[in-house]
Amino acid sequence: MIALVDCDSFYASCERIFRPDLKDKPVIVLSNNDGCVIARSREAKALGISMGVPYFKVREVVTKNNVAVFSSNYALYQDISSRALETIRNFCPEVEPYSIDESFLILDSLRLRDEAAFAKRLRQFIKRSVGIPVSVGIGQTKTLAKIATKIAKQADEGIYNIAAQEDPDCILASMAVEDIWGIGQHQSKKLRAVRIRTARDLKYAEDGWIKKHLSVVGLRTVYELRGFRCFGFKEIPDNRKSICVSRSLGTYLTNYNELSQAVAFYASLASEKLRAQRSLANVVTTYISTSFHVPDCYWGSKRVCLATPKNDSPSIVRAALEGLRLAYIEGKKYKRVGVLLSEISSCKELQKGLFCDIKQSKKLDILMREIDKINLEANKPLVWLAAGGKPESQKWVTSASMRSPRYTSYWDELPTIKV
């Protein structure tokens, strides 16, 4: 059996850990620059606040119903996610982190007599030790566990075992085909065109037609609905094939020098992520854009290919700034910048160029490693490239006026108790 542990309204639940006064009250979390709603508590959903809606459109509802609003606090969310994952690993040796708020568990080696009782203990322990509520879905495959988790979120106990039902097909008949894990909007239109509307319909669909129209991946989903495991299990996630750091700017920028500071800073962050997974990038793409709500909207992007794959900040920043130079149009008011690293390969696969200065390359690797170590221990950038500008001059930093303290990862933001 496979279980899926899904943290309920994860970002909102993280905010509630240190704010017990928000229990049973509506909570929403906003995206970078406080633009759109990216997380809602169950109470906020009941008010009709939809996912992705611009904040200004729901401001009246928020004020009228005393909704608690927070700027995104990713340092807190990532730390709470790591704590939840560590707790899960104490219960089950085979765990695959799927996202920041979801993890698959293979229960085979535990030889459980009662999976529901196990899930109940796990939920209680996570709630007590980490402080967030979770839902647990159980099934023979990942796809069935996903479906079970959707049902578990509506159940009072937060647990559902689809394999324990007398007639699982009744459950699948109530699940719309577009709600199945791995079936996208484009695929669901194809399926509905031939009267495949539910998970049950898809389960009994003809293999040949599915393979022809939905490829082998779609056929694997069908087999998973039938109870055959087709999607592999990875305790260590694969390295990312591309790395993107993109932000909405805290203010409109027209000055090229200020824009170049933002690009350099985000390129440094991207290179840091690249080094963390011990990879190299061969292509650096810089993109800049104005607001999409202005008549002369502009989106510009330029790719720069490196002579040899790199991961050091100076090389990545230099390429990103070259892309900015090519994409920049004077007189525009820019609101968003981003840096994308692609054609990523492992450091082990690097083939040095004929004219490569090996000694200089080794010195640069050591320098980058030490800088990453310093910044990681401090949990903030203490050492950065001068091209990124001084913190006090970074007018473009994303606005986060409603961010809660980073209670668990910054010494100067630890919670305090007044006696």
Side-chain angles (χ1 to χ4, degrees):
M1 302 294 284
I2 291 178
L4 174 64
V5 178
D6 188 350
C7 304
D8 299 335
S9 304
F10 181 59
Y11 290 175
S13 296
C14 289
E15 298 293 354
R16 280 174 164 170
I17 293 176
F18 297 94
R19 290 287 305 275
D21 58 304
L22 296 178
K23 182 180 180 182
D24 300 326
K25 293 183 179 180
V27 177
I28 63 172
V29 178
L30 305 178
S31 62
N32 286 324
N33 226 32
D34 297 340
C36 301
V37 177
I38 59 170
R40 307 156 295 159
S41 66
R42 188 170 298 182
E43 297 80 7
K45 294 176 185 177
L47 294 174
I49 300 175
S50 32
M51 179 68 83
V53 65
Y55 177 51
F56 72 87
K57 289 188 176 182
V58 296
R59 200 184 299 271
E60 186 177 340
V61 176
V62 167
T63 304
K64 183 178 178 180
N65 296 277
N66 295 319
V67 178
V69 184
F70 292 93
S71 302
S72 48
N73 187 348
Y74 298 116
L76 175 66
Y77 307 151
Q78 187 59 61
D79 187 69
I80 298 300
S81 174
S82 300
R83 292 168 187 243
L85 180 60
E86 189 63 31
T87 302
I88 293 170
R89 291 191 193 279
N90 290 333
F91 274 74
C92 180
E94 295 180 273
V95 179
E96 177 188 339
Y98 178 65
S99 66
I100 194 171
D101 62 345
E102 293 178 290
S103 293
F104 285 106
L105 290 69
I106 287 189
L107 307 179
D108 301 349
S109 62
L110 301 180
R111 300 180 182 274
L112 300 170
R113 293 183 179 181
D114 188 344
E115 289 89 357
F118 167 82
K120 184 177 181 180
R121 292 196 305 273
L122 177 59
R123 286 188 78 243
Q124 291 173 343
F125 198 81
I126 293 174
K127 178 64 177 175
R128 185 170 66 248
S129 61
V130 183
I132 57 173
V134 301
S135 298
V136 183
I138 303 169
Q140 298 97 322
T141 66
K142 283 184 173 181
T143 303
L144 290 172
K146 269 279 191 180
I147 291 173
T149 305
K150 288 181 179 290
I151 301 170
K153 286 183 175 293
Q154 309 302 322
D156 293 336
E157 293 187 350
I159 300 167
Y160 191 81
N161 186 351
I162 195 170
Q165 309 308 309
E166 292 184 4
D167 186 8
D169 281 359
C170 290
I171 305 301
L172 298 180
S174 65
M175 179 71 62
V177 70
E178 56 266 22
D179 292 335
I180 301 172
W181 183 49
I183 300 297
Q185 186 177 4
H186 180 66
Q187 292 177 320
S188 65
K189 287 181 179 178
K190 286 184 180 180
L191 294 170
R192 285 189 172 276
V194 293
R195 297 184 180 181
I196 299 177
R197 301 186 178 94
T198 67
R200 184 186 182 280
D201 295 338
L202 185 60
K203 176 180 178 180
Y204 294 107
E206 183 185 348
D207 290 4
W209 188 93
I210 294 295
K211 185 176 180 180
K212 180 179 178 180
H213 293 88
L214 301 187
S215 77
V216 175
V217 177
L219 187 59
R220 288 174 182 167
T221 298
V222 172
Y223 283 149
E224 289 250 325
L225 290 172
R226 296 172 185 171
F228 300 100
R229 292 184 189 173
C230 296
F231 295 123
F233 199 81
K234 301 175 183 177
E235 294 188 35
I236 301 176
D238 291 335
N239 285 340
R240 286 180 282 182
K241 302 300 182 183
S242 63
I243 293 175
C244 181
V245 176
S246 172
R247 299 285 190 276
S248 290
L249 300 171
T251 184
Y252 289 100
L253 293 182
T254 55
N255 183 278
Y256 180 83
N257 290 332
E258 290 183 336
L259 200 61
S260 67
Q261 283 186 7
V263 169
F265 185 77
Y266 296 137
S268 294
L269 293 181
S271 65
E272 186 178 314
K273 292 182 179 183
L274 191 64
R275 293 192 294 274
Q277 67 175 38
R278 297 197 57 76
S279 297
L280 305 159
N282 199 45
V283 176
V284 180
T285 302
T286 305
Y287 61 87
I288 53 177
S289 74
T290 61
S291 170
F292 295 123
H293 305 290
V294 297
D296 59 340
C297 173
Y298 170 72
W299 171 281
S301 69
K302 292 296 179 182
R303 300 169 35 110
V304 175
C305 296
L306 302 173
T308 57
K310 301 279 188 179
N311 65 9
D312 62 278
S313 295
S315 298
I316 300 296
V317 168
R318 194 179 300 116
L321 291 177
E322 175 63 17
L324 172 65
R325 186 184 66 80
L326 297 172
Y328 177 77
I329 295 179
E330 190 174 356
K332 299 285 186 181
K333 293 183 178 181
Y334 295 99
K335 187 60 177 174
R336 190 174 188 88
V337 303
V339 177
L340 172 68
L341 308 182
S342 55
E343 294 189 19
I344 290 177
S345 58
S346 171
C347 287
K348 297 177 182 179
E349 300 171 3
L350 175 63
Q351 184 174 355
K352 299 288 186 180
L354 180 62
F355 302 104
C356 175
D357 188 337
I358 297 178
K359 288 185 178 180
Q360 185 65 25
S361 179
K362 286 184 176 179
K363 287 182 179 179
L364 190 56
D365 288 342
I366 293 172
L367 176 62
M368 291 294 103
R369 194 158 54 243
E370 290 303 314
I371 290 175
D372 289 344
K373 182 180 177 182
I374 291 170
N375 292 339
L376 182 64
E377 289 178 353
N379 213 359
K380 58 182 177 181
L382 292 180
V383 183
W384 65 91
L385 293 183
K390 297 180 180 179
E392 57 269 20
S393 68
Q394 294 174 345
K395 300 175 183 178
W396 39 265
V397 170
T398 300
S399 173
S401 57
M402 295 173 281
R403 180 181 62 79
S404 58
R406 292 161 290 193
Y407 300 102
T408 61
S409 53
Y410 281 70
W411 286 107
D412 54 350
E413 296 182 26
L414 287 174
T416 57
I417 300 174
K418 295 182 180 180
V419 180

